[in-house]
Amino acid sequence: MGELLRFFRFLYDQRRPLPIPTTSDDVSSKVFMVVGSNAGIGLEASVFLARQKPKLLVATSRDSTKCKTTREAILERTDSGDGEGSAMETWPLEMSSFDSVRAIADRLAVREDNQLNVLVANAGVLLDAFDNTQDGWELTLQVNYLSTALLSLLLLPYLVKSSTAGSPSRLVIMSSVAHYNGTKSLKKAKTWDRILETINVLNGTAYRNC
Ligand SMILES: NC(=O)c1ccc[n+]([C@@H]2O[C@H](COP(=O)([O-])OP(=O)(O)OC[C@H]3O[C@@H](n4cnc5c(N)ncnc54)[C@H](OP(=O)(O)O)[C@@H]3O)[C@@H](O)[C@H]2O)c1
């Protein structure tokens, strides 16, 4: 599809009504995890899912303070009242840290049922400055891509284990139409020895000239 066409398609899509289901399946036996649930799409998805009364909704936010406010925000918009007996847990997850990602997988591993039916890998950033994480990667690269991939791979065994023929598990990775912007910049990527390292070191316009 030409870039201009894509742009008009993007504009058109902004006016489309959200495809929020009007009927709901029985999710009382399902476990959901939404990453980055304190704001934006992640918060709306978490509220929607909490209203469907799943077996468990795990809503992640960066730290314990945000977990607390997220829990309150979700409960306020659902029928769960003061949260007593609510099938919702808020877990801290900082996607700029691989240790934090691994800790989430460890936390799921020690749960008795290890159940996970749906992972919504929603957290993402759009930054206008170059910044490095403690793991040595550019922040956007780590949060949007590397940690999302790591989390998905670490949780994949639980999704597979919880999947049945009649009710398959789901891995949802939030993307963006903005990825088309990278097509041109990454044209020569096949010729680079180490693609991730090249992008990581040479940010912004620099790597476009490689
Ligand atoms: N809205 C759009 O038009 C649009 C378009 C294309 C793609 N998307 C994608 O959709 C997803 C959600 O977008 P949105 O519009 O809802 O954005 P948003 O309102 O900015 O929410 C992003 C969520 O990701 C979390 N997050 C960011 N950095 C994080 C980190 N290092 N560790 C853990 N959580 C982190 C945020 O937490 P904090 O509040 O703590 O930062 C927040 O919960 C993103 O992946 C975005 O790229 C959105």
Side-chain angles (χ1 to χ4, degrees), residues 36 38 40-41 62 66 93-95 122-125 174-176:
N38 60 295
I41 297 168
R62 279 179 204 246
K66 285 194 175 183
L93 171 54
E94 173 51 76
M95 293 286 277
N122 159 77
V125 282
M174 292 297 289
S175 182
S176 169

Side-chain angles (χ1 to χ4, degrees), residues 10 14 35-44 60-63 66 70 92-97 100 121-127 133 139 142-144 147-148 173-178:
F10 171 74
Q14 302 310 298
V35 181
S37 61
N38 60 295
I41 297 168
L43 176 59
E44 294 309 312
T60 84
S61 303
R62 279 179 204 246
D63 55 41
K66 285 194 175 183
T70 302
L93 171 54
E94 173 51 76
M95 293 286 277
S96 65
S97 156
S100 181
N122 159 77
V125 282
L126 178 62
L127 304 171
T133 68
L139 188 55
Q142 180 159 348
V143 171
N144 294 15
S147 284
T148 298
I173 298 180
M174 292 297 289
S175 182
S176 169
V177 73

Side-chain angles (χ1 to χ4, degrees), residues 17-193:
L18 289 177
I20 295 174
T22 47
T23 56
S24 58
D25 292 335
D26 178 9
V27 292
S28 58
S29 63
K30 306 286 180 202
V31 175
F32 295 85
M33 183 185 290
V34 179
V35 181
S37 61
N38 60 295
I41 297 168
L43 176 59
E44 294 309 312
S46 298
V47 169
F48 177 82
L49 291 171
R51 284 178 181 156
Q52 309 308 307
K53 301 195 186 312
K55 179 178 174 186
L56 177 66
L57 168 64
V58 176
T60 84
S61 303
R62 279 179 204 246
D63 55 41
S64 51
T65 308
K66 285 194 175 183
C67 280
K68 189 170 176 294
T69 51
T70 302
R71 182 178 174 79
E72 288 163 2
I74 295 171
L75 290 177
E76 200 179 289
R77 293 175 58 194
T78 59
D79 299 332
S80 311
D82 59 6
E84 281 300 313
S86 161
M88 177 181 44
E89 294 181 17
T90 46
W91 295 4
L93 171 54
E94 173 51 76
M95 293 286 277
S96 65
S97 156
F98 293 139
D99 280 349
S100 181
V101 174
R102 289 191 193 96
I104 284 286
D106 291 346
R107 191 164 173 173
L108 192 63
V110 297
R111 285 184 75 88
E112 209 173 309
D113 58 6
N114 295 153
Q115 188 183 341
L116 182 63
N117 301 93
V118 178
L119 168 63
V120 183
N122 159 77
V125 282
L126 178 62
L127 304 171
D128 56 7
F130 188 92
D131 199 1
N132 276 317
T133 68
Q134 287 194 342
D135 293 308
W137 293 94
E138 189 276 324
L139 188 55
T140 315
L141 184 61
Q142 180 159 348
V143 171
N144 294 15
Y145 177 48
L146 298 175
S147 284
T148 298
L150 178 63
L151 182 71
S152 303
L153 289 171
L154 290 175
L155 299 190
L156 200 55
Y158 305 107
L159 288 168
V160 170
K161 191 181 150 213
S162 309
S163 195
T164 63
S167 183
S169 294
R170 298 269 189 258
L171 168 58
V172 181
I173 298 180
M174 292 297 289
S175 182
S176 169
V177 73
H179 78 270
Y180 286 118
N181 297 340
T183 314
K184 207 169 161 192
S185 314
L186 296 170
K187 228 173 191 168
K188 294 181 189 164
K190 280 187 198 153
T191 64
W192 300 345
D193 276 347

